[in-house]
Amino acid sequence: MYAEPVKPETDAFDPRDGDAPIAAGFRVSAVDGAAFDSNGGRCAIGTHESNDLRLTDTRVSRFHCEIVVEGANARIRDLGSRNGTVVDGVRVVEAFLRGGSTIVVGGVSLRFDLLQQVKRLPISPRTSFHGVVAHSIAMRAALAWIERAATNDLTVLLEGETGTGKGKVAEAIHRGSPRAKHPFLVVDCGAIPANLVESELYGHEKSAFTGATERRVGAFEEASGGTLFLDEIGELPLEQQPKLLRVLESKEIRRVGSNAHRKVDVRIVAATNRDLRREVNEGRFRADLYFRLAVLRIELPPLRQRPDDVPALAKELLRAMGARDEEIERLCTKDFLASLRRGAWPGNARELRNHLERCLAFDEALPIVEAARPTAVIDASLPYGEARRRAIDAFEREYVRELLARHDGKMTQAAAAAGIDRVYLYKLAKRHGS
């Protein structure tokens, strides 16, 4: 249910500083006097101490809802709260707010008011940063935070849809940091069987368990002095989360099968396509671990919100595939790049890459709609085994793409729906670049 946003009758919202994005100021106040003033940006509401407006009512969830301001418009989103969010008498999942709106969370009534001042959000003057393409305003705004993250050792949580380039951003933060000469190690928390998580992260001693025929150094030790990227952190089993929290707080690890603790010097960057606050509310992620990971949160915009990046990103992806300059020039005509800009790209950069890979293979600018649903072509000139392998590969590629898109990239849910093991689905996705 959406209410029409009311735009303030003031010229204060006219952007006059080039292309810098602006956000309206607002106030959220409770009848008991608790209030939060923002001069642009967002406000998280709930009982957890990390919220901007912290409430104590027991009917309010730890992370209840969030208000986000974009330009002169304000939007409220429920975060999977236990008792829901009500705006002007209507229970909503997401809605626009207007000045004077009444918001009820749990048993607390709040009033939302727009203020006259605005905040001009920082954007980076760069259009690229260690491989991250940023021509659009949306991505340059994110890049301003990425650049800041690279200059310090804060733990960073990257959020965004599947395929938005979280791994690329994590590597850019590392490469732009003082740790750049040390290792950058990636651990995909969604691809490790639950019984091997401890060994993968912290290592094990010889004979620590059946099959441990030799000592193994874990990811924390292997990344010593550098950066450890914990991808798909939302997939980390609940029973393993307390140990990770202890390691992050103490900066010490203990290998499986050992009594000795070892100091580690590692910078942590984590990433997820889930809203971990919703996961906390639903009991699937620990609030204290979320608080420890989200020291600096950076949200990466989906490709549909940054069409200005598509032409440069397409050329970058083609180069990464090994395309020659003349091939890129021949393929990337003005009309072809314009068609790419118009694409919805629900799979984001990953889907764009798959489309470009097909175009490069056929040396032809294929229409996006046709490329998204290719028909199997049987080539009887090939040996049976080769033709069969190609047909299976085509089926697997499209099935995995559609499956992950249907489940918003959530490996565990997708695997359960398909009736296959999560690790096997991950291998299929990795094999076909989905």
Side-chain angles (χ1 to χ4, degrees):
M1 187 80 181
Y2 291 86
E4 272 305 310
V6 175
K7 298 187 178 181
E9 296 177 1
T10 170
D11 59 2
F13 293 89
D14 234 353
R16 285 170 289 179
D17 291 343
D19 53 3
I22 58 173
F26 63 90
R27 172 177 295 147
V28 184
S29 51
V31 292
D32 64 0
F36 172 79
D37 280 12
S38 168
N39 60 349
R42 61 185 63 215
C43 172
I45 302 170
T47 59
H48 193 268
E49 61 185 9
S50 66
N51 286 287
D52 301 301
L53 179 57
R54 187 182 182 191
L55 305 175
T56 57
D57 189 286
T58 57
R59 289 163 290 183
V60 177
S61 296
R62 282 177 287 191
F63 298 99
H64 200 102
C65 60
E66 180 180 48
I67 297 172
V68 179
V69 172
E70 298 165 346
N73 295 331
R75 194 163 34 87
I76 189 168
R77 182 166 63 96
D78 185 82
L79 298 174
S81 64
R82 185 172 63 254
N83 292 310
T85 299
V86 177
V87 176
D88 293 332
V90 179
R91 182 164 178 164
V92 301
V93 174
E94 188 169 359
F96 285 114
L97 295 172
R98 58 185 176 183
S101 283
T102 299
I103 306 166
V104 178
V105 292
V108 181
S109 291
L110 305 170
R111 178 183 169 91
F112 174 84
D113 289 294
L114 285 166
L115 304 178
Q116 294 303 308
Q117 73 265 26
V118 298
K119 179 181 180 180
R120 302 191 186 280
L121 304 179
I123 64 170
S124 172
R126 305 177 191 236
T127 56
S128 66
F129 182 71
H130 295 287
V132 175
V133 174
H135 289 266
S136 67
I137 296 300
M139 196 60 199
R140 285 170 61 198
L143 190 57
W145 290 104
I146 293 167
E147 291 171 326
R148 291 184 188 185
T151 64
N152 57 61
D153 246 8
L154 290 178
T155 300
V156 178
L157 179 62
L158 302 175
E159 299 175 307
E161 297 177 7
T162 297
T164 47
K166 295 184 286 293
K168 194 79 170 176
V169 169
E171 187 175 1
I173 290 173
H174 170 74
R175 290 173 59 191
S177 76
R179 295 178 177 265
K181 294 182 180 179
H182 298 281
F184 173 74
L185 201 66
V186 180
V187 173
D188 190 331
C189 299
I192 310 171
N195 61 328
L196 295 180
V197 170
E198 283 192 56
S199 174
E200 182 74 24
L201 291 176
Y202 318 120
H204 64 251
E205 299 291 347
K206 182 178 179 180
S207 304
F209 50 84
T210 303
T213 57
E214 57 184 25
R215 188 185 74 177
R216 173 175 178 167
V217 173
F220 272 87
E221 286 186 88
E222 194 176 345
S224 179
T227 303
L228 179 59
F229 175 45
L230 300 176
D231 199 10
E232 301 288 359
I233 190 66
E235 302 287 343
L236 188 70
L238 191 60
E239 62 273 15
Q240 292 295 336
Q241 294 176 21
K243 185 160 188 176
L244 176 60
L245 176 64
R246 286 195 296 273
V247 170
L248 295 180
E249 291 181 337
S250 68
K251 300 190 183 301
E252 290 184 341
I253 61 98
R254 181 172 62 84
R255 294 175 186 162
V256 178
S258 171
N259 293 322
H261 287 77
R262 293 173 169 79
K263 283 285 186 183
V264 289
D265 173 26
V266 176
R267 196 260 180 90
I268 299 295
V269 179
T272 180
N273 58 12
R274 300 186 182 193
D275 189 327
L276 292 186
R277 295 167 300 178
R278 182 184 293 269
E279 299 294 301
V280 168
N281 287 339
E282 296 177 358
R284 291 194 293 264
F285 204 85
R286 289 180 63 103
D288 46 8
L289 179 56
Y290 167 77
F291 189 50
R292 186 64 186 79
L293 291 170
V295 178
L296 174 59
R297 289 173 55 210
I298 300 177
E299 187 171 351
L300 302 182
L303 201 54
R304 63 183 174 275
Q305 292 179 7
R306 41 184 290 221
D308 290 347
D309 291 331
V310 171
L313 182 58
K315 293 176 182 178
E316 185 75 21
L317 290 170
L318 287 167
R319 288 190 192 95
M321 294 176 210
R324 298 187 301 275
D325 289 343
E326 57 269 26
E327 290 178 308
I328 295 174
E329 185 177 354
R330 185 168 63 249
L331 182 61
C332 293
T333 63
K334 183 178 179 180
D335 288 344
F336 178 66
L337 293 177
S339 72
L340 295 184
R341 282 173 54 91
R342 292 192 297 269
W345 306 117
N348 295 297
R350 192 170 295 159
E351 183 180 355
L352 175 61
R353 186 188 189 283
N354 289 346
H355 176 64
L356 292 171
E357 189 174 14
R358 287 187 285 265
C359 293
L360 187 62
F362 289 102
D363 193 23
E364 182 183 352
L366 300 173
I368 295 173
V369 174
E370 292 181 20
R373 295 204 175 19
T375 44
V377 177
I378 304 301
D379 186 353
S381 67
L382 296 172
Y384 170 79
E386 177 65 10
R388 181 176 181 273
R389 183 188 65 77
R390 291 191 182 187
I392 291 174
D393 283 350
F395 163 75
E396 288 180 346
R397 185 182 304 110
E398 290 305 309
Y399 181 83
V400 169
R401 186 185 70 82
E402 292 285 348
L403 180 68
L404 292 178
R406 185 180 293 267
H407 295 279
D408 296 324
K410 297 176 181 177
M411 284 283 183
T412 301
Q413 291 183 14
I420 59 178
D421 185 80
R422 184 181 66 185
V423 176
Y424 180 64
L425 176 58
Y426 173 80
K427 289 179 179 177
L428 285 177
K430 188 174 182 181
R431 181 190 306 162
H432 299 297
S434 298

